[in-house]
Amino acid sequence: MKRLLLTTLFLTILLVYANAQYSVLSPNASVEAKIVVGDHLSYSVSFKGIPVIINSDIRFEFRQAPPMGDEMTVLKNTVTDINESWT
């Protein structure tokens, strides 16, 4: 689950291509996180095909800088499969 959240955060930071959708699956494919890039960033999470979080906006607000989240595009997209065992 930690890897899923870190991967989702990493994809969120890289997002900058209009009207694109990206998804990340847990190793057993029971959890899916989707990130949608359009006029603003949003994400959805489902567990075994059942929506848990639906179209929640992603926005970063800073104290001394303008907020991030609107009008972003994807600069680069890389697909990687990881097959690891933990004991």
Side-chain angles (χ1 to χ4, degrees):
M1 188 67 173
K2 204 177 216 182
R3 180 179 295 162
L4 175 67
L5 293 175
L6 290 174
T7 303
T8 303
L9 179 60
F10 178 73
L11 286 174
T12 302
I13 293 170
L14 293 179
L15 292 178
V16 190
Y17 182 76
N19 299 318
Q21 178 173 309
Y22 301 91
S23 64
V24 178
L25 292 172
S26 64
N28 65 358
S30 63
V31 178
E32 180 179 21
K34 291 183 181 178
I35 298 174
V36 178
V37 183
D39 294 337
H40 58 276
L41 294 174
S42 65
Y43 73 100
S44 300
V45 178
S46 61
F47 177 71
K48 294 185 179 179
I50 300 170
V52 178
I53 300 172
I54 302 172
N55 296 332
S56 183
D57 289 343
I58 299 172
R59 186 172 174 89
F60 301 99
E61 295 189 14
F62 305 99
R63 290 184 184 173
Q64 298 180 0
M68 288 178 17
D70 296 331
E71 300 178 10
M72 297 184 80
T73 59
V74 175
L75 294 175
K76 181 179 178 182
N77 178 30
T78 303
V79 177
T80 304
D81 290 330
I82 299 173
N83 186 3
E84 294 180 344
S85 297
W86 292 65
T87 57

XYZ file of all heavy atoms in Angstrom:
684
model
N 0.829 -1.189 0.000
C 0.000 0.000 0.000
C 0.869 1.247 0.000
O 0.542 2.222 -0.642
C -0.924 -0.061 1.227
C -1.948 1.006 1.228
S -3.091 0.746 -0.126
C -4.272 1.974 0.222
N 1.990 1.179 0.728
C 2.894 2.324 0.776
C 3.449 2.615 -0.618
O 3.536 3.764 -1.031
C 4.031 2.008 1.746
C 4.693 3.207 2.329
C 5.747 2.777 3.322
C 5.819 3.715 4.477
N 6.862 3.350 5.423
N 3.803 1.561 -1.346
C 4.343 1.727 -2.692
C 3.290 2.345 -3.609
O 3.597 3.190 -4.434
C 4.805 0.390 -3.256
C 5.378 0.550 -4.659
C 5.858 -0.730 -5.234
N 6.985 -1.185 -4.439
C 7.438 -2.402 -4.439
N 6.877 -3.309 -5.184
N 8.462 -2.748 -3.698
N 2.037 1.915 -3.466
C 0.950 2.462 -4.269
C 0.806 3.957 -4.035
O 0.691 4.742 -4.975
C -0.364 1.749 -3.957
C -1.614 2.302 -4.636
C -1.540 2.073 -6.137
C -2.844 1.652 -4.057
N 0.848 4.367 -2.768
C 0.714 5.794 -2.456
C 1.904 6.590 -2.981
O 1.738 7.684 -3.520
C 0.562 5.986 -0.952
C -0.742 5.445 -0.370
C -0.733 5.572 1.149
C -1.932 6.159 -0.943
N 3.119 6.047 -2.835
C 4.299 6.748 -3.334
C 4.274 6.845 -4.851
O 4.619 7.883 -5.418
C 5.573 6.043 -2.868
C 5.878 6.151 -1.383
C 7.081 5.283 -1.024
C 6.132 7.585 -0.987
N 3.859 5.771 -5.517
C 3.764 5.794 -6.970
C 2.724 6.804 -7.423
O 2.939 7.555 -8.369
C 3.414 4.393 -7.505
O 4.403 3.472 -7.061
C 3.359 4.378 -9.023
N 1.595 6.843 -6.732
C 0.547 7.800 -7.065
C 1.048 9.227 -6.887
O 0.821 10.092 -7.739
C -0.700 7.563 -6.194
O -1.141 6.217 -6.386
C -1.805 8.516 -6.569
N 1.746 9.491 -5.789
C 2.305 10.818 -5.567
C 3.307 11.168 -6.659
O 3.298 12.279 -7.185
C 2.963 10.896 -4.190
C 3.603 12.233 -3.840
C 2.562 13.347 -3.856
C 4.267 12.164 -2.486
N 4.175 10.231 -7.020
C 5.168 10.466 -8.064
C 4.484 10.812 -9.385
O 4.872 11.758 -10.068
C 6.056 9.232 -8.220
C 7.078 9.360 -9.297
C 8.179 10.179 -9.136
C 6.930 8.682 -10.490
C 9.126 10.306 -10.125
C 7.868 8.804 -11.501
C 8.959 9.613 -11.324
N 3.455 10.049 -9.754
C 2.735 10.346 -10.988
C 2.061 11.709 -10.931
O 2.023 12.434 -11.920
C 1.692 9.255 -11.264
C 2.231 7.927 -11.744
C 1.107 6.905 -11.836
C 2.919 8.064 -13.086
N 1.548 12.055 -9.762
C 0.898 13.356 -9.607
C 1.879 14.485 -9.883
O 1.546 15.469 -10.539
C 0.328 13.499 -8.192
O -0.596 12.436 -7.965
C -0.375 14.829 -8.022
N 3.086 14.350 -9.390
C 4.099 15.396 -9.588
C 4.474 15.515 -11.061
O 4.700 16.605 -11.570
C 5.332 15.104 -8.711
C 4.953 15.239 -7.238
C 6.490 16.026 -9.062
C 5.999 14.742 -6.281
N 4.524 14.398 -11.773
C 4.921 14.417 -13.183
C 3.803 14.822 -14.142
O 4.060 15.092 -15.307
C 5.431 13.030 -13.590
C 6.722 12.578 -12.943
C 7.080 11.183 -13.437
C 7.850 13.546 -13.251
N 2.592 14.853 -13.657
C 1.473 15.095 -14.559
C 1.510 16.483 -15.167
O 1.629 17.461 -14.479
C 0.158 14.905 -13.798
C -0.108 13.479 -13.383
C -1.399 13.403 -12.609
C -0.133 12.553 -14.548
N 1.413 16.500 -16.491
C 1.325 17.782 -17.174
C 0.805 17.633 -18.617
O 1.085 18.462 -19.431
C 2.688 18.487 -17.194
C 2.600 19.909 -17.672
C 3.328 18.475 -15.832
N 0.023 16.631 -18.990
C -0.534 16.451 -20.334
C -2.055 16.487 -20.258
O -2.657 15.752 -19.517
C -0.082 15.122 -20.932
C -0.576 14.873 -22.320
C 0.005 15.519 -23.384
C -1.618 14.003 -22.553
C -0.445 15.293 -24.665
C -2.073 13.777 -23.831
C -1.477 14.422 -24.885
O -1.925 14.207 -26.148
N -2.685 17.371 -21.045
C -4.131 17.616 -20.938
C -4.951 16.375 -21.277
O -4.641 15.633 -22.185
C -4.516 18.763 -21.843
N -6.047 16.189 -20.523
C -7.029 15.142 -20.746
C -6.421 13.742 -20.820
O -6.740 12.962 -21.696
C -7.844 15.435 -22.004
C -8.587 16.736 -21.883
O -9.146 17.033 -20.835
N -8.603 17.517 -22.950
N -5.543 13.437 -19.908
C -4.924 12.108 -19.842
C -5.381 11.407 -18.574
O -5.762 12.042 -17.599
C -3.408 12.237 -19.855
N -5.346 10.071 -18.605
C -5.705 9.287 -17.427
C -4.631 8.226 -17.208
O -4.197 7.572 -18.147
C -7.063 8.611 -17.625
C -7.470 7.752 -16.456
C -8.876 7.221 -16.596
O -9.796 7.972 -16.853
N -9.036 5.929 -16.439
N -4.208 8.077 -15.960
C -3.191 7.109 -15.590
C -3.718 6.270 -14.441
O -4.493 6.752 -13.617
C -1.899 7.828 -15.160
C -1.358 8.704 -16.252
C -1.724 10.038 -16.349
C -0.505 8.187 -17.208
C -1.257 10.836 -17.369
C -0.024 8.973 -18.234
C -0.400 10.298 -18.307
O 0.062 11.082 -19.318
N -3.287 5.020 -14.379
C -3.726 4.173 -13.281
C -2.576 3.341 -12.753
O -1.622 3.044 -13.473
C -4.891 3.272 -13.713
O -4.480 2.379 -14.712
N -2.687 2.994 -11.485
C -1.707 2.157 -10.795
C -2.485 1.053 -10.094
O -3.486 1.318 -9.439
C -0.911 2.979 -9.752
C 0.065 2.089 -9.002
C -0.193 4.126 -10.411
N -2.020 -0.191 -10.237
C -2.672 -1.330 -9.598
C -1.800 -1.884 -8.486
O -0.573 -1.886 -8.585
C -2.920 -2.449 -10.612
C -3.945 -2.183 -11.697
C -3.934 -3.307 -12.718
C -5.325 -2.043 -11.096
N -2.448 -2.377 -7.440
C -1.717 -3.076 -6.387
C -1.228 -4.411 -6.960
O -1.717 -4.861 -8.001
C -2.621 -3.302 -5.176
O -3.695 -4.155 -5.521
N -0.264 -5.068 -6.308
C 0.274 -6.329 -6.839
C -0.791 -7.388 -7.132
O -0.681 -8.114 -8.108
C 1.233 -6.796 -5.750
C 1.674 -5.530 -5.096
C 0.458 -4.637 -5.118
N -1.832 -7.482 -6.335
C -2.867 -8.482 -6.599
C -4.058 -7.885 -7.362
O -5.093 -8.521 -7.501
C -3.343 -9.136 -5.305
C -4.039 -8.168 -4.374
O -4.154 -6.974 -4.652
N -4.498 -8.667 -3.248
N -3.907 -6.662 -7.839
C -4.901 -5.954 -8.654
C -6.214 -5.677 -7.917
O -7.217 -5.381 -8.548
C -5.170 -6.702 -9.959
N -6.210 -5.736 -6.590
C -7.443 -5.456 -5.858
C -7.644 -3.958 -5.617
O -8.765 -3.505 -5.445
C -7.469 -6.202 -4.521
O -6.422 -5.760 -3.693
N -6.564 -3.196 -5.622
C -6.652 -1.748 -5.429
C -6.175 -1.060 -6.708
O -5.121 -1.387 -7.241
C -5.791 -1.274 -4.233
C -5.858 0.235 -4.087
C -6.221 -1.966 -2.958
N -6.973 -0.122 -7.192
C -6.596 0.656 -8.365
C -6.739 2.138 -8.045
O -7.766 2.571 -7.529
C -7.471 0.312 -9.571
C -7.105 1.109 -10.804
C -7.957 0.761 -12.012
O -9.064 0.223 -11.838
O -7.509 1.051 -13.131
N -5.696 2.892 -8.336
C -5.732 4.344 -8.185
C -5.615 4.949 -9.581
O -4.737 4.574 -10.353
C -4.590 4.825 -7.312
N -6.532 5.851 -9.904
C -6.528 6.523 -11.205
C -6.305 8.007 -10.991
O -6.874 8.603 -10.088
C -7.861 6.334 -11.923
C -8.124 4.935 -12.379
C -9.442 4.869 -13.136
C -9.724 3.451 -13.579
N -11.024 3.348 -14.277
N -5.469 8.585 -11.845
C -5.234 10.027 -11.830
C -5.675 10.567 -13.178
O -5.282 10.044 -14.219
C -3.760 10.358 -11.573
C -3.341 9.831 -10.203
C -3.512 11.852 -11.673
C -1.891 9.981 -9.904
N -6.507 11.594 -13.154
C -7.030 12.190 -14.385
C -6.505 13.616 -14.483
O -6.580 14.384 -13.525
C -8.575 12.189 -14.384
C -9.108 12.850 -15.637
C -9.101 10.766 -14.255
N -5.962 13.944 -15.655
C -5.455 15.287 -15.908
C -6.361 15.934 -16.936
O -6.575 15.405 -18.012
C -4.015 15.240 -16.457
C -3.476 16.645 -16.650
C -3.123 14.435 -15.559
N -6.921 17.063 -16.596
C -7.769 17.837 -17.503
C -7.595 19.299 -17.155
O -6.473 19.782 -17.070
N -8.692 19.971 -16.884
C -8.614 21.350 -16.418
C -7.968 21.416 -15.041
O -7.408 22.423 -14.646
C -10.002 21.983 -16.359
C -10.615 22.132 -17.740
O -9.851 22.168 -18.726
O -11.845 22.210 -17.828
N -8.077 20.330 -14.280
C -7.443 20.216 -12.975
C -7.122 18.746 -12.726
O -7.563 17.876 -13.462
C -8.357 20.769 -11.874
C -9.678 20.085 -11.811
N -10.730 20.452 -12.618
C -10.119 19.049 -11.069
C -11.761 19.673 -12.371
N -11.424 18.801 -11.436
N -6.330 18.470 -11.708
C -5.969 17.103 -11.358
C -7.027 16.498 -10.454
O -7.532 17.160 -9.554
C -4.637 17.076 -10.596
C -3.392 17.499 -11.342
C -2.215 17.537 -10.387
C -3.113 16.556 -12.473
N -7.342 15.222 -10.668
C -8.226 14.513 -9.756
C -7.807 13.055 -9.703
O -7.087 12.571 -10.577
C -9.687 14.644 -10.184
O -9.900 14.002 -11.418
N -8.254 12.372 -8.659
C -7.924 10.957 -8.539
C -9.126 10.187 -8.011
O -10.033 10.748 -7.392
C -6.708 10.741 -7.639
C -6.964 10.961 -6.168
C -7.175 9.882 -5.322
C -7.001 12.237 -5.631
C -7.411 10.070 -3.967
C -7.233 12.438 -4.290
C -7.428 11.356 -3.466
O -7.675 11.549 -2.126
N -9.124 8.894 -8.298
C -10.142 7.975 -7.812
C -9.430 6.718 -7.325
O -8.385 6.353 -7.847
C -11.118 7.584 -8.926
O -11.762 8.710 -9.442
N -10.019 6.065 -6.327
C -9.471 4.815 -5.813
C -10.611 3.809 -5.720
O -11.702 4.140 -5.258
C -8.830 5.006 -4.415
C -8.311 3.680 -3.871
C -7.715 6.028 -4.475
N -10.336 2.582 -6.191
C -11.337 1.529 -6.060
C -10.693 0.299 -5.426
O -9.493 0.066 -5.561
C -11.947 1.168 -7.416
O -10.958 0.690 -8.294
N -11.509 -0.478 -4.725
C -11.064 -1.712 -4.082
C -11.944 -2.845 -4.600
O -13.165 -2.811 -4.420
C -11.168 -1.599 -2.555
C -10.784 -2.851 -1.833
C -9.457 -3.253 -1.791
C -11.732 -3.617 -1.202
C -9.090 -4.408 -1.131
C -11.379 -4.777 -0.532
C -10.058 -5.175 -0.497
N -11.321 -3.795 -5.272
C -12.029 -4.924 -5.891
C -13.168 -4.442 -6.782
O -14.271 -4.967 -6.780
C -12.531 -5.891 -4.831
C -11.416 -6.587 -4.076
C -11.940 -7.622 -3.119
C -10.771 -8.304 -2.418
N -11.220 -9.316 -1.458
N -12.889 -3.376 -7.544
C -13.860 -2.838 -8.482
C -14.912 -1.923 -7.881
O -15.726 -1.353 -8.600
N -14.904 -1.773 -6.561
C -15.883 -0.919 -5.889
C -15.235 0.432 -5.593
O -14.208 0.491 -4.922
C -16.373 -1.578 -4.578
C -17.038 -2.922 -4.893
C -17.331 -0.653 -3.840
C -17.343 -3.748 -3.678
N -15.824 1.542 -6.083
C -15.241 2.864 -5.830
C -15.181 3.179 -4.335
O -16.148 2.984 -3.612
C -16.199 3.813 -6.541
C -16.937 2.975 -7.523
C -17.019 1.606 -6.918
N -14.012 3.641 -3.900
C -13.815 4.061 -2.514
C -13.711 5.584 -2.459
O -14.297 6.224 -1.594
C -12.547 3.412 -1.919
C -12.308 3.882 -0.504
C -12.646 1.890 -1.980
N -12.972 6.155 -3.380
C -12.846 7.608 -3.528
C -13.156 7.927 -4.988
O -12.579 7.327 -5.886
C -11.424 8.104 -3.169
C -11.089 7.748 -1.726
C -11.303 9.606 -3.400
C -9.655 8.027 -1.349
N -14.061 8.861 -5.225
C -14.489 9.170 -6.587
C -14.139 10.618 -6.921
O -14.583 11.545 -6.244
C -16.004 8.947 -6.753
C -16.365 7.509 -6.416
C -16.447 9.302 -8.167
C -17.852 7.249 -6.365
N -13.330 10.802 -7.959
C -13.001 12.124 -8.505
C -12.704 13.172 -7.445
O -13.360 14.202 -7.365
C -14.119 12.608 -9.423
C -14.270 11.725 -10.640
O -13.305 11.113 -11.083
N -15.463 11.645 -11.171
N -11.715 12.926 -6.644
C -11.282 13.882 -5.631
C -10.189 14.766 -6.223
O -9.226 14.269 -6.808
C -10.760 13.133 -4.403
O -10.404 14.028 -3.388
N -10.344 16.072 -6.100
C -9.363 17.007 -6.663
C -8.042 16.944 -5.913
O -8.008 16.738 -4.701
C -9.888 18.439 -6.621
C -11.003 18.669 -7.617
O -11.157 17.850 -8.540
O -11.714 19.672 -7.465
N -6.953 17.129 -6.667
C -5.610 17.221 -6.095
C -5.161 18.667 -6.266
O -5.176 19.211 -7.362
C -4.614 16.288 -6.820
C -5.062 14.843 -6.698
C -3.206 16.489 -6.268
C -4.246 13.886 -7.534
N -4.775 19.289 -5.188
C -4.329 20.686 -5.239
C -3.295 20.896 -4.140
O -3.465 20.436 -3.025
C -5.516 21.616 -5.038
C -5.205 23.067 -5.204
C -6.516 23.867 -5.168
N -6.271 25.270 -5.178
C -6.157 26.006 -6.269
N -6.258 25.437 -7.445
N -5.945 27.290 -6.198
N -2.226 21.569 -4.476
C -1.179 21.896 -3.514
C -1.208 23.394 -3.260
O -1.146 24.187 -4.193
C 0.203 21.492 -4.052
C 0.318 20.027 -4.351
C 0.178 19.552 -5.645
C 0.564 19.118 -3.337
C 0.281 18.205 -5.927
C 0.667 17.765 -3.606
C 0.519 17.315 -4.908
N -1.302 23.767 -1.998
C -1.305 25.183 -1.637
C -0.089 25.476 -0.772
O 0.228 24.714 0.137
C -2.598 25.539 -0.910
C -3.812 25.396 -1.809
C -5.070 25.951 -1.195
O -4.991 26.685 -0.200
O -6.142 25.649 -1.744
N 0.572 26.585 -1.072
C 1.809 26.964 -0.393
C 1.636 28.315 0.282
O 0.802 29.123 -0.124
C 2.957 27.019 -1.405
C 3.126 25.748 -2.188
C 2.615 25.625 -3.466
C 3.775 24.662 -1.627
C 2.759 24.455 -4.189
C 3.925 23.488 -2.333
C 3.418 23.386 -3.616
N 2.450 28.578 1.260
C 2.361 29.850 1.979
C 2.847 31.025 1.148
O 2.263 32.091 1.176
C 3.153 29.782 3.284
C 2.520 28.878 4.287
C 3.253 28.906 5.580
N 2.645 27.940 6.487
C 3.117 27.626 7.645
N 4.227 28.185 8.091
N 2.512 26.742 8.384
N 3.971 30.848 0.437
C 4.551 31.971 -0.288
C 4.684 31.706 -1.778
O 5.614 32.196 -2.420
C 5.906 32.316 0.318
C 5.801 32.755 1.763
C 7.148 33.105 2.368
O 8.174 33.017 1.727
N 7.137 33.502 3.628
N 3.762 30.935 -2.330
C 3.770 30.649 -3.767
C 2.333 30.389 -4.205
O 1.493 30.034 -3.387
C 4.645 29.440 -4.056
N 2.080 30.569 -5.482
C 0.720 30.311 -5.956
C 0.380 28.821 -5.870
O 1.275 27.971 -5.924
C 0.747 30.788 -7.413
C 2.167 30.881 -7.783
C 2.952 31.070 -6.534
N -0.889 28.471 -5.751
C -1.281 27.057 -5.665
C -1.017 26.310 -6.973
O -0.986 26.908 -8.045
C -2.773 27.117 -5.358
C -3.220 28.465 -5.761
C -2.033 29.364 -5.662
N -0.806 25.010 -6.861
C -0.629 24.141 -8.025
C -1.815 23.191 -8.095
O -2.308 22.729 -7.083
C 0.654 23.310 -7.894
C 1.917 24.075 -8.054
S 3.447 23.135 -7.839
C 3.006 21.446 -7.983
N -2.228 22.851 -9.293
C -3.310 21.899 -9.466
C -4.147 22.175 -10.696
O -4.728 21.268 -11.266
N -4.200 23.424 -11.136
C -4.971 23.779 -12.318
C -4.054 23.878 -13.530
O -2.878 24.235 -13.411
C -5.691 25.119 -12.119
C -6.724 25.045 -11.012
O -7.271 23.951 -10.797
O -6.968 26.074 -10.355
N -4.603 23.546 -14.688
C -3.906 23.703 -15.964
C -2.538 23.033 -15.984
O -1.548 23.613 -16.411
C -3.796 25.181 -16.319
C -5.133 25.862 -16.442
C -5.021 27.331 -16.740
O -3.917 27.810 -17.039
O -6.049 28.007 -16.671
N -2.465 21.792 -15.543
C -1.208 21.045 -15.587
C -1.229 20.085 -16.774
O -2.286 19.692 -17.250
C -1.006 20.284 -14.290
C -0.885 21.206 -13.093
S -0.530 20.335 -11.581
C 1.217 20.081 -11.760
N -0.054 19.733 -17.263
C 0.071 18.759 -18.346
C 1.158 17.755 -17.995
O 2.008 18.018 -17.143
C 0.411 19.435 -19.690
O 1.632 20.144 -19.530
C -0.667 20.384 -20.140
N 1.145 16.601 -18.655
C 2.131 15.554 -18.391
C 3.352 15.791 -19.261
O 3.242 15.952 -20.472
C 1.531 14.161 -18.695
C 2.585 13.083 -18.539
C 0.349 13.901 -17.786
N 4.526 15.811 -18.648
C 5.775 15.974 -19.386
C 6.288 14.646 -19.915
O 6.820 14.558 -21.012
C 6.851 16.598 -18.491
C 6.605 18.032 -18.044
C 7.687 18.464 -17.063
C 6.571 18.954 -19.245
N 6.142 13.583 -19.104
C 6.685 12.283 -19.491
C 5.902 11.196 -18.771
O 5.495 11.365 -17.625
C 8.161 12.207 -19.098
C 8.852 10.922 -19.475
C 10.314 10.964 -19.068
C 10.988 9.655 -19.397
N 12.388 9.650 -18.985
N 5.719 10.075 -19.444
C 5.028 8.938 -18.856
C 5.870 7.688 -19.086
O 6.246 7.395 -20.221
C 3.645 8.774 -19.491
C 2.905 7.593 -18.947
O 3.098 7.213 -17.807
N 2.061 7.003 -19.761
N 6.191 6.967 -18.026
C 6.980 5.746 -18.124
C 6.228 4.621 -17.429
O 5.778 4.776 -16.301
C 8.359 5.931 -17.447
O 9.012 7.042 -18.054
C 9.204 4.696 -17.581
N 6.099 3.488 -18.111
C 5.437 2.331 -17.532
C 6.485 1.334 -17.075
O 7.405 1.002 -17.826
C 4.504 1.650 -18.570
C 3.871 0.411 -18.004
C 3.447 2.642 -19.047
N 6.362 0.888 -15.819
C 7.323 -0.062 -15.241
C 6.574 -1.132 -14.465
O 5.682 -0.818 -13.693
C 8.288 0.670 -14.274
O 8.924 1.723 -14.976
C 9.326 -0.278 -13.714
N 6.915 -2.380 -14.716
C 6.374 -3.490 -13.933
C 7.402 -3.901 -12.908
O 8.590 -4.036 -13.215
C 6.068 -4.698 -14.832
C 4.885 -4.450 -15.745
O 3.993 -3.689 -15.356
O 4.863 -5.037 -16.835
N 6.938 -4.109 -11.669
C 7.833 -4.528 -10.585
C 7.283 -5.816 -9.996
O 6.107 -5.895 -9.645
C 7.935 -3.447 -9.498
C 8.514 -2.157 -10.068
C 8.777 -3.953 -8.323
C 8.506 -1.003 -9.118
N 8.122 -6.828 -9.916
C 7.729 -8.116 -9.356
C 8.708 -8.446 -8.229
O 9.820 -8.888 -8.496
C 7.725 -9.198 -10.428
C 7.191 -10.511 -9.915
O 6.763 -10.613 -8.764
N 7.238 -11.521 -10.758
N 8.317 -8.207 -6.982
C 9.173 -8.445 -5.838
C 8.441 -9.272 -4.799
O 7.224 -9.200 -4.687
C 9.600 -7.128 -5.182
C 10.487 -6.267 -6.038
C 10.880 -4.976 -5.322
O 10.249 -4.625 -4.315
O 11.831 -4.336 -5.777
N 9.189 -10.025 -4.038
C 8.625 -10.781 -2.929
C 9.201 -10.232 -1.636
O 10.378 -9.927 -1.542
C 8.980 -12.265 -3.042
O 8.415 -12.814 -4.198
N 8.341 -10.104 -0.614
C 8.760 -9.613 0.690
C 8.563 -10.729 1.704
O 7.569 -11.427 1.688
C 7.929 -8.401 1.100
C 8.198 -7.197 0.243
C 7.933 -7.053 -1.086
C 8.801 -5.979 0.659
N 8.313 -5.829 -1.520
C 8.849 -5.124 -0.459
C 9.283 -5.515 1.868
C 9.373 -3.855 -0.409
C 9.787 -4.231 1.916
C 9.841 -3.436 0.785
N 9.523 -10.864 2.577
C 9.392 -11.895 3.619
C 9.415 -11.272 4.981
O 9.812 -10.162 5.192
C 10.520 -12.938 3.529
O 11.777 -12.265 3.614
C 10.428 -13.694 2.219
